[in-house]
Amino acid sequence: MMRQYDLVERVKRYNPAADEALLNKAYVYGMMKHGSQTRASGDPYFSHPLEVAAILTDLRLDDASVAVALLHDTIEDTDATRDEIDALFGEEIGGLVESLTKLKKLDFVFKKTQQAENFRRLLLAVSDDVRVLLIKLADRLHNMRTLGAMPDAKRFRIAEETMEIYAPLAGRIGMQGMREELEDLSFRYLNPDAYNKITQRLAMLAEQNKDLTPKIEQALMEKLQSADIKALVKGRQKKPYSIFLKMQRKGVSFEQLSDIFGFRVIVAKEDDCYRALGIVHRTWSSVPGRFKDYISTPKQNDYRSIHTTVVGPGRQRVELQIRTEEMHKVCEYGIAAHALYKDGALTRESGAFTWLRETVDRLNDPNLNPEEFLENTKLELFHDQVFCFTPKGKIIALPRGATPIDFGYAVHTDVGNTCVGAKINGRIMPLMTELANGDEVEIIRSKAQIPPPAWEHIAVTGKARAAIRRATREAVRKQFGGLGRQILERAFERAERPLSDSILAQAAPRLGHNAIADLIAAVGRGELSSEAVLKAAYPDYQDERAASSPKPTAGEGWFGLDRGRTMKFRVPGEAEAQEHSIPIRGISGDLPVQFAPEGGAVPGDRIVGILTPGEGITVYPIQSPELKEFDDQPERWLDVRWDIDPDDPVRFPACIALTSLNEPGSLAQIAQVIADNDGNIDNIKMMRKGGDFHEIRIDLEVWDLKHLNRIIQQLRQKPIISSVLRVNG
Ligand code: MN
């Protein structure tokens, strides 16, 4: 147990004018009153108020606060009275001890109503004197440090309350050191498995890096010194709970986290922060997206610092926080950094003080419902998060900026994967809507859904992003597998050779694949030609088509193959083409299909497929001039045909070019014709504007060639339109 002398020494180190007599008197009085009382751990009870006082000296609080800490449990737990304390120590100290006593009565109560009442009283007491909050937090911190002596069930509830209320409250008023310790202590009891795993690995990492850390510190310090910047660089391991949160947020494992170590650069002046940043960025390359300037834009809790990440000495990712000594104090101690004052009133004009005062002001509302107040204030404590509800009332916590897609994945991966829409508070809303606190979100699902890859950029949570990536990868893998099988089936049919899994299984090792699925997918991706598979399966197979010299069907130039190159593909007759070709159903089918980037293709067009390794088939109308580019790559050409389900029609992309009179409202007339004829306009581009005529290009979606032609006919009938042509590349 700390001795009286040690405590006074601690205070005098930062406050040489401290009232020694007061501290000594409080020490003796507290020790006498608690007498032989013991704590759950068996320690003398007085060790607790003494440790709380010691925590306050770390926060460099005034001597009245330290004295109050020594006395904070006397009225509640001993025969001491307010009057007696007033008489001995004055009303200021007596008042503070009484405030803490009122709070203590409600400590560790687990019913929500009581917890709410407790919290309300805490804030009311704080409105009289902010030191109550600081002493209360120190009291909770010491109780958490000694929580091991409590029975299991009680331990869990206390840790829960600390994690829900006290740790965020400490963070909200800027006391990061306090917040981190409270979080880690709670985490240890709330999720012991995760806590143990993470601390063990951290210890291993610390051992592995014990040489590296001083090296990086040294390198940074020397670099800054050579530019005449005095800096203290200190390496620091991240805390277990913050690592845990990061793993959860990003959906990654411990090993995948690259920034376990951070370095603090403490400099003398604000100006030096920016100079130091300049030197760091000129010496090592910075990691994009990791730079934040909280000096020019401080956080709500007054946090100021520059954050950046560089690829530092030894190609190691190094996370840096650059700040002045003064900023560092505020970062660590928050409100307590300004707390060497006598009256403890909330007068400081800082973000954290303002927040506290406003929160306390709301307590004066006569209609206040304490439980609601607790909930709302808790929501504000987690100011980087939003809390939303499922229709059944389950609460889902998400980072700010989260969308219904994130919500879906937070509920369950399956819910995210099958999400096609969302109702927010009963109304259908776009999936990119940013969720707000208290939103009730209902996910509309469809079994047929595959999450579109673009969602990865809409989602903000790591969990959602990882799941979307996984699902699209899986879907693409399936598509390539499907395509590969179709290509093989057609090729074997054409060669009049039987195809079966056992035949493929025999051929696979010869082609460098162990599993049939890999082999088929490789064909689908265009990495392996169907001919190579045929030859591996039937070594005697000769490509008759290569041997014969086929001619294009008269007039058609089926593949545009009339430019004298060696033909690998036989030009099939219509019936044959049907039989051997790959059916095209649209982009959302089970094949990796896209349409000609310039001009698209619609059912009714005669079409050709071009296989792009890794991307799938691009479908071109045979008249597309873009096909020329593939003339010398016959292995990429595929026979394809339309296979449209009349009961489930889909739209296809097409492009038209118009020349119209330059008249007011001409564009509106054109759009009207297209809309009247059930066409969807995707994009309108003015190719040439001014003069007597406009040249306009319109990307649209139509059902088929007939539909497209009807739209073109209707447009041509408009007097303002002088020409309409379909564009193909
Ligand atoms: Mn206590």
Side-chain angles (χ1 to χ4, degrees), residues 45 48 52 72-73 104 107 139 143:
Y45 192 92
H48 164 67
V52 175
H72 80 272
D73 284 332
K104 161 118 191 185
D107 230 351
D139 181 30
N143 284 328

Side-chain angles (χ1 to χ4, degrees), residues 294-315:
Y294 293 117
I295 293 181
S296 61
T297 320
K299 287 195 190 181
Q300 280 174 308
N301 59 12
D302 306 331
Y303 179 92
R304 300 207 301 157
S305 209
I306 289 173
H307 290 191
T308 189
T309 303
V310 295
V311 181
R315 309 290 306 153

